[in-house]
Amino acid sequence: MTSIAFGGGPTLDQRRSFAGLKHGTHVPGYRGYCPQIKYRVGKTYGDDTNLLSTTVDHRMPADPVGPPPTGVDQSGLPDATGDNKYTKSMVPGYTGYIPRLTFKYGNTYKEDCDVCIDEFLTNSSTHDMKAHDLKRTVRSYPKLQPVSRDPGVRDYLNKYRDTHPIKPILVEDKRAYTEPPMPGYQGYVPRIRPTELGLGVRYHQMTKNGLEAFKHENSQHHEIHRHPVTIERGDSLVQMPSYNRRLYLNDGMIPKYTGYCPQRRYRFGNTYGDTTRSLDICTHKQACYGDTLMSLRKSLPV
């Protein structure tokens, strides 16, 4: 309850005289801090606080700064129609959101709701008026015409293009697909993981090698598709890639390789590297093991 100086309610002296409290006495049930109260026994709360107010220095509340708050005109608040949320008859206990109510203190729920709703409606109407004024001001100005429709500018650009045919005017918006990406790129780059193109070089050079190899293979495939398909087509159009496509290398397989190595399960007494290097699948010199088997079959007598 606020005092008469703040727009309503009895004054402090009137409340003290009504309750019969002495000067400096706190109202029983007060939960704030009172110095030395926990060491007082044998008297009522009112008597203890009255004696402490004369022996212990208390910091009195400061006078209010600024003009006293004025009440809200109830006629400016909307009536409850069943559809609107913010009205002049807000019921205490309403758990919905009320703008800026969490920053209001010292008044009843009804008074704080009236102030918050009045400020919200005033600010909303002010914002709508400013937006309407801005739109009206923008519509009042003549529309701007594109510079490209000006014949003088068009003729000047055409003349510049004719007199500078070597220098490109516009930058290409599409990058070449063989241009390496930036370091840290997490996307897919072909041929850099399953081949040796990505070994021992930087990311820039690794991706460049992979993209160029992929481009070379695609161009080779397109070249093959242009020729008619015959039963006896030679290998003149088939070109081997720039990287090694063998799975089983002459140097043997790396220890802890979990893939399949033919005939390894029948070899004993050597390390994994020596065992794989002694297998026929790693010792052959052909591009793949299938070519080796094909040459062996041709060498056998019919």
Side-chain angles (χ1 to χ4, degrees):
M1 180 180 296
T2 57
S3 62
I4 296 176
F6 286 90
T11 62
L12 180 61
D13 296 336
Q14 291 175 349
R15 291 199 299 268
R16 287 186 179 278
S17 62
F18 176 80
L21 299 177
K22 301 176 183 179
H23 180 73
T25 303
H26 292 314
V27 178
Y30 172 69
R31 303 302 297 273
Y33 174 71
C34 184
Q36 303 297 323
I37 189 63
K38 63 180 180 179
Y39 304 110
R40 309 287 296 189
V41 292
K43 294 183 179 180
T44 62
Y45 184 82
D47 293 338
D48 285 336
T49 54
N50 182 25
L51 294 175
L52 289 175
S53 65
T54 59
T55 58
V56 181
D57 294 336
H58 283 66
R59 180 175 295 178
M60 303 303 294
D63 296 332
V65 180
T70 58
V72 178
D73 186 9
Q74 295 289 333
S75 61
L77 299 179
D79 296 327
T81 60
D83 296 332
N84 52 351
K85 182 191 296 186
Y86 304 129
T87 63
K88 63 181 180 181
S89 57
M90 299 298 296
V91 180
Y94 172 69
T95 57
Y97 174 72
I98 296 178
R100 302 191 63 81
L101 182 62
T102 56
F103 304 102
K104 302 295 183 181
Y105 304 97
N107 294 328
T108 61
Y109 182 82
K110 180 66 169 58
E111 294 173 352
D112 289 339
C113 286
D114 292 343
V115 174
C116 294
I117 293 174
D118 182 68
E119 292 179 357
F120 173 73
L121 296 178
T122 303
N123 295 336
S124 299
S125 60
T126 304
H127 179 269
D128 294 340
M129 291 177 59
K130 290 182 179 179
H132 179 70
D133 294 340
L134 179 61
K135 292 180 180 179
R136 184 175 57 185
T137 304
V138 171
R139 287 196 297 265
S140 63
Y141 281 91
K143 294 184 178 180
L144 299 178
Q145 298 295 331
V147 181
S148 58
R149 296 183 180 180
D150 189 357
V153 176
R154 180 192 58 195
D155 297 340
Y156 182 79
L157 292 176
N158 293 335
K159 180 180 178 181
Y160 181 84
R161 183 181 58 186
D162 296 338
T163 55
H164 300 76
I166 300 177
K167 297 181 180 180
I169 299 177
L170 299 178
V171 181
E172 294 184 0
D173 56 349
K174 186 176 181 181
R175 298 168 54 182
Y177 58 88
T178 56
E179 181 179 351
M182 296 178 59
Y185 172 68
Q186 298 295 328
Y188 173 73
V189 180
R191 304 295 184 269
I192 63 174
R193 299 300 180 189
T195 64
E196 70 273 9
L197 296 177
L199 299 177
V201 293
R202 297 178 301 169
Y203 182 82
H204 180 82
Q205 187 65 31
M206 175 177 62
T207 53
K208 181 179 179 181
N209 295 338
L211 294 175
E212 289 181 351
F214 184 71
K215 176 185 177 182
H216 175 72
E217 293 180 9
N218 285 340
S219 61
Q220 181 181 354
H221 294 329
H222 290 307
E223 185 66 24
I224 293 175
H225 287 311
R226 293 192 186 98
H227 292 76
V229 178
T230 58
I231 299 178
E232 297 179 357
R233 187 176 65 177
D235 297 335
S236 59
L237 298 177
V238 180
Q239 300 178 4
M240 297 303 297
S242 58
Y243 54 88
N244 192 356
R245 303 185 67 176
R246 288 184 54 172
L247 177 62
Y248 304 102
L249 303 179
N250 298 123
D251 297 334
M253 307 305 294
I254 300 176
K256 296 184 179 181
Y257 171 70
T258 58
Y260 174 68
C261 289
Q263 303 298 322
R264 178 191 170 275
R265 61 191 307 179
Y266 305 110
R267 303 296 179 93
F268 304 95
N270 291 329
T271 62
Y272 186 85
D274 293 338
T275 302
T276 54
R277 279 189 289 270
S278 63
L279 297 176
D280 295 338
I281 198 170
C282 294
T283 56
H284 68 88
K285 302 299 182 181
Q286 301 292 336
C288 62
Y289 190 62
D291 295 341
T292 303
L293 295 178
M294 186 64 69
S295 61
L296 291 176
R297 290 174 183 175
K298 291 181 180 179
S299 63
L300 295 176
V302 179

mmCIF file of all heavy atoms in Angstrom, residues 222-239:
data_model
loop_
_atom_site.group_PDB
_atom_site.id
_atom_site.type_symbol
_atom_site.label_atom_id
_atom_site.label_comp_id
_atom_site.label_asym_id
_atom_site.label_seq_id
_atom_site.Cartn_x
_atom_site.Cartn_y
_atom_site.Cartn_z
ATOM 1 N N HIS A 222 34.774 -40.171 -71.991
ATOM 2 C CA HIS A 222 33.999 -39.516 -73.044
ATOM 3 C C HIS A 222 34.596 -39.800 -74.430
ATOM 4 O O HIS A 222 33.859 -39.951 -75.413
ATOM 5 C CB HIS A 222 33.946 -38.013 -72.786
ATOM 6 C CG HIS A 222 33.110 -37.639 -71.596
ATOM 7 N ND1 HIS A 222 31.808 -38.058 -71.432
ATOM 8 C CD2 HIS A 222 33.396 -36.879 -70.505
ATOM 9 C CE1 HIS A 222 31.319 -37.573 -70.301
ATOM 10 N NE2 HIS A 222 32.267 -36.868 -69.719
ATOM 11 N N GLU A 223 35.912 -39.863 -74.486
ATOM 12 C CA GLU A 223 36.553 -40.152 -75.767
ATOM 13 C C GLU A 223 36.247 -41.572 -76.227
ATOM 14 O O GLU A 223 36.045 -41.829 -77.425
ATOM 15 C CB GLU A 223 38.064 -39.955 -75.628
ATOM 16 C CG GLU A 223 38.840 -40.105 -76.921
ATOM 17 C CD GLU A 223 38.521 -39.013 -77.927
ATOM 18 O OE1 GLU A 223 38.067 -37.916 -77.499
ATOM 19 O OE2 GLU A 223 38.724 -39.241 -79.139
ATOM 20 N N ILE A 224 36.198 -42.503 -75.307
ATOM 21 C CA ILE A 224 35.891 -43.892 -75.669
ATOM 22 C C ILE A 224 34.443 -44.024 -76.144
ATOM 23 O O ILE A 224 34.139 -44.750 -77.099
ATOM 24 C CB ILE A 224 36.167 -44.817 -74.468
ATOM 25 C CG1 ILE A 224 37.672 -44.844 -74.165
ATOM 26 C CG2 ILE A 224 35.656 -46.220 -74.723
ATOM 27 C CD1 ILE A 224 38.036 -45.634 -72.934
ATOM 28 N N HIS A 225 33.521 -43.298 -75.490
ATOM 29 C CA HIS A 225 32.112 -43.401 -75.863
ATOM 30 C C HIS A 225 31.837 -42.811 -77.245
ATOM 31 O O HIS A 225 30.810 -43.148 -77.862
ATOM 32 C CB HIS A 225 31.243 -42.690 -74.825
ATOM 33 C CG HIS A 225 31.141 -43.437 -73.531
ATOM 34 N ND1 HIS A 225 30.832 -44.782 -73.462
ATOM 35 C CD2 HIS A 225 31.318 -43.031 -72.246
ATOM 36 C CE1 HIS A 225 30.808 -45.166 -72.200
ATOM 37 N NE2 HIS A 225 31.112 -44.121 -71.432
ATOM 38 N N ARG A 226 32.706 -41.940 -77.734
ATOM 39 C CA ARG A 226 32.495 -41.368 -79.064
ATOM 40 C C ARG A 226 32.776 -42.367 -80.186
ATOM 41 O O ARG A 226 32.316 -42.177 -81.305
ATOM 42 C CB ARG A 226 33.373 -40.129 -79.252
ATOM 43 C CG ARG A 226 32.980 -38.942 -78.364
ATOM 44 C CD ARG A 226 33.694 -37.696 -78.816
ATOM 45 N NE ARG A 226 33.453 -36.580 -77.910
ATOM 46 C CZ ARG A 226 34.283 -36.199 -76.955
ATOM 47 N NH1 ARG A 226 35.442 -36.854 -76.797
ATOM 48 N NH2 ARG A 226 33.998 -35.187 -76.164
ATOM 49 N N HIS A 227 33.554 -43.386 -79.920
ATOM 50 C CA HIS A 227 33.915 -44.352 -80.949
ATOM 51 C C HIS A 227 32.895 -45.489 -80.974
ATOM 52 O O HIS A 227 32.336 -45.852 -79.934
ATOM 53 C CB HIS A 227 35.319 -44.913 -80.691
ATOM 54 C CG HIS A 227 36.403 -43.891 -80.869
ATOM 55 N ND1 HIS A 227 36.649 -42.904 -79.926
ATOM 56 C CD2 HIS A 227 37.289 -43.691 -81.874
ATOM 57 C CE1 HIS A 227 37.647 -42.155 -80.328
ATOM 58 N NE2 HIS A 227 38.058 -42.603 -81.519
ATOM 59 N N PRO A 228 32.657 -46.049 -82.125
ATOM 60 C CA PRO A 228 31.711 -47.178 -82.191
ATOM 61 C C PRO A 228 32.270 -48.403 -81.483
ATOM 62 O O PRO A 228 33.478 -48.633 -81.438
ATOM 63 C CB PRO A 228 31.567 -47.406 -83.705
ATOM 64 C CG PRO A 228 32.820 -46.850 -84.291
ATOM 65 C CD PRO A 228 33.203 -45.686 -83.441
ATOM 66 N N VAL A 229 31.377 -49.161 -80.925
ATOM 67 C CA VAL A 229 31.755 -50.360 -80.193
ATOM 68 C C VAL A 229 31.871 -51.517 -81.175
ATOM 69 O O VAL A 229 30.930 -51.823 -81.923
ATOM 70 C CB VAL A 229 30.707 -50.687 -79.100
ATOM 71 C CG1 VAL A 229 31.083 -51.968 -78.367
ATOM 72 C CG2 VAL A 229 30.582 -49.530 -78.139
ATOM 73 N N THR A 230 33.038 -52.136 -81.196
ATOM 74 C CA THR A 230 33.281 -53.301 -82.059
ATOM 75 C C THR A 230 33.700 -54.476 -81.189
ATOM 76 O O THR A 230 34.075 -54.308 -80.025
ATOM 77 C CB THR A 230 34.377 -52.984 -83.081
ATOM 78 O OG1 THR A 230 35.562 -52.598 -82.379
ATOM 79 C CG2 THR A 230 33.938 -51.851 -83.998
ATOM 80 N N ILE A 231 33.645 -55.642 -81.772
ATOM 81 C CA ILE A 231 34.002 -56.847 -81.013
ATOM 82 C C ILE A 231 35.496 -56.883 -80.740
ATOM 83 O O ILE A 231 35.935 -57.216 -79.639
ATOM 84 C CB ILE A 231 33.559 -58.105 -81.772
ATOM 85 C CG1 ILE A 231 32.038 -58.093 -81.941
ATOM 86 C CG2 ILE A 231 34.003 -59.368 -81.046
ATOM 87 C CD1 ILE A 231 31.506 -59.262 -82.723
ATOM 88 N N GLU A 232 36.301 -56.524 -81.724
ATOM 89 C CA GLU A 232 37.749 -56.548 -81.559
ATOM 90 C C GLU A 232 38.251 -55.114 -81.547
ATOM 91 O O GLU A 232 38.805 -54.610 -82.516
ATOM 92 C CB GLU A 232 38.402 -57.338 -82.687
ATOM 93 C CG GLU A 232 38.002 -58.803 -82.721
ATOM 94 C CD GLU A 232 38.659 -59.543 -83.870
ATOM 95 O OE1 GLU A 232 39.372 -58.867 -84.654
ATOM 96 O OE2 GLU A 232 38.472 -60.759 -83.986
ATOM 97 N N ARG A 233 38.039 -54.473 -80.457
ATOM 98 C CA ARG A 233 38.551 -53.117 -80.316
ATOM 99 C C ARG A 233 39.879 -53.176 -79.583
ATOM 100 O O ARG A 233 39.981 -53.769 -78.500
ATOM 101 C CB ARG A 233 37.576 -52.250 -79.530
ATOM 102 C CG ARG A 233 37.984 -50.773 -79.498
ATOM 103 C CD ARG A 233 36.949 -49.930 -78.787
ATOM 104 N NE ARG A 233 36.838 -50.276 -77.388
ATOM 105 C CZ ARG A 233 36.030 -49.640 -76.534
ATOM 106 N NH1 ARG A 233 35.251 -48.673 -76.977
ATOM 107 N NH2 ARG A 233 35.975 -50.010 -75.265
ATOM 108 N N GLY A 234 40.886 -52.593 -80.149
ATOM 109 C CA GLY A 234 42.206 -52.624 -79.543
ATOM 110 C C GLY A 234 42.287 -51.770 -78.296
ATOM 111 O O GLY A 234 41.334 -51.115 -77.884
ATOM 112 N N ASP A 235 43.455 -51.778 -77.711
ATOM 113 C CA ASP A 235 43.695 -51.012 -76.491
ATOM 114 C C ASP A 235 44.328 -49.655 -76.775
ATOM 115 O O ASP A 235 44.975 -49.062 -75.912
ATOM 116 C CB ASP A 235 44.611 -51.800 -75.540
ATOM 117 C CG ASP A 235 43.956 -53.098 -75.087
ATOM 118 O OD1 ASP A 235 42.719 -53.145 -75.109
ATOM 119 O OD2 ASP A 235 44.691 -54.029 -74.715
ATOM 120 N N SER A 236 44.175 -49.163 -78.015
ATOM 121 C CA SER A 236 44.812 -47.887 -78.340
ATOM 122 C C SER A 236 44.155 -46.724 -77.619
ATOM 123 O O SER A 236 44.798 -45.730 -77.321
ATOM 124 C CB SER A 236 44.762 -47.655 -79.863
ATOM 125 O OG SER A 236 43.400 -47.658 -80.307
ATOM 126 N N LEU A 237 42.831 -46.853 -77.352
ATOM 127 C CA LEU A 237 42.140 -45.771 -76.662
ATOM 128 C C LEU A 237 42.246 -45.874 -75.148
ATOM 129 O O LEU A 237 41.960 -44.914 -74.448
ATOM 130 C CB LEU A 237 40.655 -45.759 -77.059
ATOM 131 C CG LEU A 237 40.362 -45.503 -78.530
ATOM 132 C CD1 LEU A 237 38.861 -45.596 -78.777
ATOM 133 C CD2 LEU A 237 40.896 -44.147 -78.952
ATOM 134 N N VAL A 238 42.620 -47.034 -74.652
ATOM 135 C CA VAL A 238 42.692 -47.239 -73.201
ATOM 136 C C VAL A 238 44.050 -46.771 -72.705
ATOM 137 O O VAL A 238 45.085 -47.270 -73.164
ATOM 138 C CB VAL A 238 42.456 -48.711 -72.833
ATOM 139 C CG1 VAL A 238 42.546 -48.902 -71.327
ATOM 140 C CG2 VAL A 238 41.113 -49.179 -73.365
ATOM 141 N N GLN A 239 44.062 -45.842 -71.808
ATOM 142 C CA GLN A 239 45.283 -45.306 -71.226
ATOM 143 C C GLN A 239 45.255 -45.544 -69.725
ATOM 144 O O GLN A 239 44.227 -45.360 -69.072
ATOM 145 C CB GLN A 239 45.420 -43.807 -71.501
ATOM 146 C CG GLN A 239 45.474 -43.466 -72.981
ATOM 147 C CD GLN A 239 45.561 -41.977 -73.200
ATOM 148 O OE1 GLN A 239 45.646 -41.210 -72.245
ATOM 149 N NE2 GLN A 239 45.560 -41.569 -74.457
#
